[in-house]
């Protein structure tokens, strides 16, 4: 895993991560904003608040530069994921334009199935993205109840699980052959119980999807602890038994603060941590 720092005209810095794979796939993880306004409680980038939306060119250049710099070393860049700094659909105009350039025959010529845009759950922008873009969608879910998601992902207070999943269920019926990737960061004693696994199978019922279970990557100031690997496997097995397609992403890059949820530098100003619900005080 390799980390690239880009310095922008206003002296802001964004981070891009290149992720080689032993099976010959090399992914570039691009940023869409400097910082992020969503304030997800487990995310280091979210501590920054929003500093700047990246332009279409600033987003595309990350993939162009990664291709030029690392293709000789790792082979062709095969995949692009909008999972770096920022909430991509909060910068929806530039992200849709950037992803279109990436898949255009006169652009970067990636397959639309190889470009994935992630979101924390901005429902109106999800509808727009699914109508206007050919690329894949990933949704950072991370909880099976509104109580937990309201706490760890404040966007849920505006677009709750029922609205988010109902929208996906309806929109994907109109977009045949498309599936959504649900990302689920495993937080010890918060969202990793076997009851959570059973609820998750019920929540995504009727949605064409894959589930990506992600080991939490600790960082300074974090309240959370990673779920043990053996419990992640147990959680995975319940999902598989219900017929779901499940991938497990154990930690990569956390030794250099390049892993999922670790990008950025909050600095002196940081968004506030939210009150921990009483039932989770002991767990943290």
């Amino acid at each position: 895993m390799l980390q690239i720092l880009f310095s922008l005209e206003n002296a802001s810095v964004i981070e891009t991560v290149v992720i080689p794979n032993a099976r010959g796939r090399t992914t570039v993880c691009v940023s869409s904003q400097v910082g992020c306004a969503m304030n997800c409680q487990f995310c280091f980038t979210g501590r920054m608040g929003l500093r700047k939306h990246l332009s279409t060119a600033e987003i595309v250049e990350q993939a162009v530069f990664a291709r030029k710099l690392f293709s000789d070393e790792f082979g062709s860049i095969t995949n692009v994921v909008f999972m770096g700094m920022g909430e991509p659909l909060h910068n929806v105009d530039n992200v849709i334009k950037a992803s279109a350039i990436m898949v255009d025959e006169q652009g970067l010529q990636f397959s639309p199935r190889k470009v994935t845009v992630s979101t924390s759950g901005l429902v109106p922008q999800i509808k727009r993205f699914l109508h206007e873009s050919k690329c894949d969608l990933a949704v950072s879910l991370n909880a099976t109840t509104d109580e937990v998601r309201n706490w760890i992902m404040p966007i849920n207070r505006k677009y709750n699980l029922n609205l988010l999943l109902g929208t996906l269920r309806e929109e994907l019926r109109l977009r045949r052959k498309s599936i959504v990737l649900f990302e689920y960061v495993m937080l010890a004693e918060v969202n990793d119980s076997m009851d959570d696994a059973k609820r998750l199978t019920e929540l995504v019922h009727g949605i064409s999807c894959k589930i990506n279970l992600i080991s939490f990557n600790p960082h300074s100031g974090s309240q959370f602890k990673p779920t043990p690997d053996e419990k992640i496997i147990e959680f995975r097995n319940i999902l598989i038994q219900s017929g779901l397609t499940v991938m497990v992403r154990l930690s990569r890059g956390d030794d250099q603060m390049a892993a999922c949820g670790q990008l950025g530098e909050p600095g002196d100003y940081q968004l506030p941590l939210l009150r921990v619900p009483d039932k989770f005080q002991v767990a943290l």
Side-chain angles (χ1 to χ4, degrees), residues 168-170 172-173 201-209 244:
L168 290 170
R169 194 171 279 111
E170 185 63 30
L172 289 173
R173 284 199 191 107
T201 66
E202 295 168 0
L203 285 173
V204 303
H205 180 73
I207 301 175
S208 297
C209 66
L244 291 169

Side-chain angles (χ1 to χ4, degrees), residues 63-81:
V64 171
F65 189 84
R67 178 181 274 179
K68 287 180 178 177
L69 194 62
F70 296 112
S71 288
D72 288 345
E73 186 175 354
F74 299 115
S76 298
I77 301 289
T78 57
N79 295 63
V80 180
V81 293

